[in-house]
Amino acid sequence: GCKGGWGMGMADSMCRMLEESGALPGSGMDKSGVTEVFVHGLPPDTLDEHLWRIFSPFGQVSPRGCYAMQGKGTGKCKGYGFVNFNSWESAQLAINSLNGFMLPGGGGTITVELKRKNSGANSQTAAASPAPTPAIMDGSAPGAGWS
C-alpha cells in the first residue's frame, strides 16, 4: 500500500487542489470551453471511473469531466452520464466509435451523443452525425481489445 504519512483522503485533496489551481489541462475552463457528451444505456454498476476508462483514450477529458449519474440513496447508476472533452474532435471520435455499442450478454445498446446547449425537459441531446456501427473488437477503433 501507499505509506509515508499521507493518510486517507490526501490523494483526493491533492487532485482537488491541482484541479482548482489551473495546473491541469482543461481545469478552470467554463462549460463553454468543453464539448459535453451524453451517454445513455449504462449498466447500474457504472461509476465515473468506468466512463473515464472508456472515453479517455479518445482524447483529453477535462478534470472531473466524467459523471455517471447515481440514484439518490441507491448508489446505482441511473443509466446515463456525461463526459466533458477538451476538444470537439475527441468528442466526435468517441461518438462515431461508441454510439450503438452493444453491451455484453444482451444488456442493451449504448447511445453516445453531443449534449444540447439549451436542453429542455424532453430533449437531452442532439444527434451529432450518423454514426456507423462500431467495430470495437476488430482493432479498428481506439482501445481495441478491451475486455
Side-chain angles (χ1 to χ4, degrees):
C2 293
K3 303 221 187 266
W6 279 82
M8 286 297 273
M10 292 298 288
D12 284 334
S13 295
M14 175 185 63
C15 289
R16 258 193 303 279
M17 287 175 59
L18 284 168
E19 290 164 355
E20 292 168 3
S21 76
L24 301 176
S27 62
M29 282 181 147
D30 63 17
K31 285 273 190 173
S32 67
V34 299
T35 302
E36 194 165 17
V37 172
F38 174 75
V39 186
H40 187 266
L42 298 171
D45 61 341
T46 303
L47 301 172
D48 296 351
E49 176 188 344
H50 296 121
L51 292 178
W52 185 83
R53 286 173 57 191
I54 292 166
F55 286 92
S56 66
F58 293 98
Q60 196 174 60
V61 174
S62 64
R64 292 186 278 169
C66 295
Y67 302 94
M69 303 307 290
Q70 307 293 317
K72 289 184 181 181
T74 67
K76 294 188 184 273
C77 180
K78 293 178 171 183
Y80 68 95
F82 300 93
V83 179
N84 296 327
F85 284 97
N86 288 348
S87 78
W88 181 88
E89 293 83 5
S90 296
Q92 194 63 49
L93 180 60
I95 290 166
N96 290 342
S97 299
L98 298 177
N99 189 41
F101 178 76
M102 300 288 292
L103 294 174
T109 303
I110 299 292
T111 301
V112 183
E113 302 174 309
L114 288 177
K115 182 177 180 261
R116 287 190 186 173
K117 297 286 183 199
N118 298 316
S119 59
N122 293 326
S123 59
Q124 289 278 343
T125 62
S129 64
T133 303
I136 296 299
M137 298 317 240
D138 72 358
S140 66
W146 288 339
S147 56

